[in-house]
Amino acid sequence: AQKHRYLSNAGVGVDVEYRLNERTLAEATYEYRYYDYASRVDVPDARLLGGPDNGFRMRLTRELAPGQVLSGELALRDHDTDRAYYDYTSREFLVTYFVAHANPFSNAGGNWLTSLWTGASQRSYGAGDPSVNADRARRDNELRFGASLTVPMDDKWSIQWRLEHVKSDSNLPNYDNKNTSLQASVVHQF
């Protein structure tokens, strides 16, 4: 950001949880943020990207059996800017399966945690971008698949591996993309 502020934002949010029974939890989150991008030499119209952002997320989590959890999540987002071709609304659905299992190499240490997920999302823009196609508003569809493995080293430290593949199809071909990522992390719990 060339030693200058890139963006600032401020917002508020609220989280609500309701336990339907001892194995089922419902959660909802609403967030409001206001983004303010700084004008920069490399992004001349950056100040037009800012504006209000509203997000709503609902999650239902169910314990299927000891050490096995299934979670479904729906997320809605509305982002407004100073130019309609930067405005977008998005809808996302994600399903995640978590399973805790014993260390296959030793009786020592805690349970390993494996998670598998798949999701789909759609993002629709408010108008056509004149620099790409002024007559056609962009619409992206995205599919994602992933897996992670968390291995505890002791009661505070763990190692996590994460593999994810994301494929985006757009009605404007220059926004089509595929991405596969592999991440390894050391995690400390406070």
Side-chain angles (χ1 to χ4, degrees), residues 33-46:
R33 292 184 187 163
Y34 189 88
Y35 288 87
D36 182 21
Y37 288 85
S39 293
R40 296 171 35 187
V41 172
D42 57 334
V43 185
D45 60 352

Side-chain angles (χ1 to χ4, degrees), residues 74-142:
L74 174 66
L76 307 170
R77 187 171 177 188
D78 182 57
H79 184 77
D80 293 319
T81 66
D82 287 339
R83 293 290 183 265
Y85 53 86
Y86 290 136
D87 295 352
Y88 66 85
T89 58
S90 67
R91 295 148 299 283
E92 178 182 7
F93 184 71
L94 182 68
V95 175
T96 307
Y97 173 71
F98 302 90
V99 61
H101 45 92
N103 181 338
F105 304 110
S106 165
N107 289 335
N111 286 335
W112 290 17
L113 178 64
T114 300
S115 60
L116 304 169
W117 63 87
T118 185
S121 65
Q122 184 179 65
R123 182 180 285 189
S124 301
Y125 287 79
D129 184 341
S131 66
V132 179
N133 184 341
D135 298 327
R136 195 171 194 190
R138 179 177 162 193
R139 188 178 62 250
D140 300 337
N141 295 305
E142 184 177 276

Side-chain angles (χ1 to χ4, degrees), residues 3 29 48 51 65 185:
K3 297 182 182 179
T29 299
L48 303 176
S185 305

Side-chain angles (χ1 to χ4, degrees), residues 59-78:
R59 179 183 302 131
L60 187 63
T61 304
R62 172 89 175 154
E63 181 184 26
L64 303 175
Q68 296 181 41
V69 174
L70 184 64
S71 174
E73 189 171 307
L74 174 66
L76 307 170
R77 187 171 177 188
D78 182 57

